[in-house]
Amino acid sequence: MRIGLAGVGRIGAFHASTLAGLDAVDELVVADLDAALAEKVAADQGLSFAPDIETLLASGIDAFVIATATPGHAPLLRRALAAGIPTFCEKPVAATLDETIALTELAESGDTAVHIGFQRRFDVGYRRARDAVASGELGTVHAIRAQTHDQAPPHAAYIPTSGGIFRDCSVHDFDIVRFVTGREVATVYATGENKGADFFSAAGDVDTAAAILTLDDGTLVTATATRYSGGGHDVRMEVMGSDGAIAVGLDHSLALRSAEQGVDFPTGPAHASFMERFLPAYRAELTAFLDVAAGLTASPCTVRDALQAFRTAEACEHSRAQRRPVSMSEIPDAPSTAKAIA
């Protein structure tokens, strides 16, 4: 297959390296708004290069990967849908709820496959947790703890366009909660604080946040996020049930140390970044996308899935700002119901 990739920043260059190592990829062509950077990445990794994204899209590619900065996702996805090119798009689909709704409607009105990049769905631990819930192994699931704790904050310039900590970080937890439980979020109550760099507050964001989600079957979920996890990159989930409990991410890379005497778990080292933590999952995710692009399987993570996770993040931001519980019924999921929350 001949694959086109737009965006060769940190995640784009990472995806390029992964795609280039997959047997189904005969040629990978990269492009970026910074043509010189795309040419360098192509040369460094032995890939093909397109001088601009317009040339890339017109070059007869079999599938398209969008790994640009967030502002590029929506317009590129629209162009790919118009051209009928199967597309993998990193989250978020768009920067706003209204645009995400519009793209969901557009994608569902045609038959071009779109796969959204929520790589945790391909992590063996999360998939094992999903199986444990679905099989009834845990009995009645009553509580879940989910977290995304980054070791260090991103560059200050990233924060104003990130969408905020719930849309940027916790959205992964919101998606994987749906994936593991098969349930939808009913209500949220969220808060956040900033004890770190001033650039978070300047952008209207926080560096540490927490949310309590109530699922539609009454399960309680606690989701936390921070930009300052000094012990290491720490992404985990604990699922508690009446007959048992299971944890994802509870291994020797755990970014915690025990306060108990004589306990040498974990032995480390801790992960430093999400790319290191989820390297096998990213490879599995892109392998699955190539099957989607080849027409062998349906998308395992649709634009509708991305919309549901984004709606939960949106509800959390409203809850944090207004200091009140927010029902998901207040957050639109279709153009006819879209309106601003007072």
Side-chain angles (χ1 to χ4, degrees), residues 197-283:
D198 291 339
F199 59 75
F200 291 102
S201 295
D205 197 8
V206 294
D207 60 46
T208 302
I212 297 175
L213 317 178
T214 303
L215 304 187
D216 58 9
D217 67 345
T219 302
L220 298 180
V221 179
T222 304
T224 60
T226 186
R227 305 289 193 175
Y228 290 100
S229 177
H233 185 74
D234 192 7
V235 174
R236 283 180 283 132
M237 174 182 275
E238 299 167 16
V239 185
M240 280 73 74
S242 58
D243 294 342
I246 197 167
V248 180
L250 187 62
D251 59 22
H252 285 289
S253 70
L254 186 67
L256 289 175
R257 295 296 176 264
S258 176
E260 307 301 327
Q261 290 187 342
V263 177
D264 59 2
F265 175 85
T267 58
H271 294 301
S273 72
F274 66 89
M275 291 184 289
E276 179 185 339
R277 164 69 172 86
F278 289 109
L279 180 61
Y282 278 115
R283 183 179 179 85

Side-chain angles (χ1 to χ4, degrees), residues 69-310:
T70 295
H73 293 185
L76 287 176
L77 181 53
R78 284 183 177 278
R79 292 174 64 178
L81 288 170
I85 303 172
T87 298
F88 175 97
C89 182
E90 270 299 337
K91 68 84 189 170
V93 170
T96 68
L97 179 60
D98 284 349
E99 181 71 353
T100 304
I101 291 171
L103 280 163
T104 302
E105 297 285 312
L106 180 62
E108 291 180 346
S109 69
D111 57 5
T112 300
V114 180
H115 178 175
I116 305 302
F118 282 109
Q119 83 283 352
R120 294 184 196 182
R121 290 176 175 235
F122 297 88
D123 177 79
V124 294
Y126 284 109
R127 296 180 79 87
R128 169 71 179 92
R130 185 192 194 203
D131 290 343
V133 172
S135 69
E137 174 186 336
L138 305 181
T140 300
V141 174
H142 53 76
I144 295 174
R145 300 190 188 103
Q147 65 184 61
T148 297
H149 295 176
D150 289 336
Q151 184 175 30
H155 191 275
Y158 173 77
I159 296 303
T161 61
S162 70
I165 197 167
F166 289 115
R167 298 186 189 97
D168 184 50
C169 286
S170 296
V171 71
H172 282 284
D173 295 298
F174 302 152
D175 177 71
I176 205 63
V177 164
R178 291 184 68 241
F179 178 78
V180 168
T181 66
R183 312 302 307 192
E184 298 292 348
V185 178
T187 62
V188 312
Y189 189 81
T191 188
E193 295 292 341
N194 182 27
K195 299 178 72 175
D198 291 339
F199 59 75
F200 291 102
S201 295
D205 197 8
V206 294
D207 60 46
T208 302
I212 297 175
L213 317 178
T214 303
L215 304 187
D216 58 9
D217 67 345
T219 302
L220 298 180
V221 179
T222 304
T224 60
T226 186
R227 305 289 193 175
Y228 290 100
S229 177
H233 185 74
D234 192 7
V235 174
R236 283 180 283 132
M237 174 182 275
E238 299 167 16
V239 185
M240 280 73 74
S242 58
D243 294 342
I246 197 167
V248 180
L250 187 62
D251 59 22
H252 285 289
S253 70
L254 186 67
L256 289 175
R257 295 296 176 264
S258 176
E260 307 301 327
Q261 290 187 342
V263 177
D264 59 2
F265 175 85
T267 58
H271 294 301
S273 72
F274 66 89
M275 291 184 289
E276 179 185 339
R277 164 69 172 86
F278 289 109
L279 180 61
Y282 278 115
R283 183 179 179 85
E285 175 185 56
L286 289 171
T287 299
F289 168 62
L290 296 181
D291 286 342
V292 171
L296 301 177
T297 186
S299 172
C301 189
T302 65
V303 184
R304 176 69 60 177
D305 289 320
L307 171 61
Q308 291 300 84
F310 195 95

Side-chain angles (χ1 to χ4, degrees), residues 17 300 324:
S17 177
R324 67 173 179 90

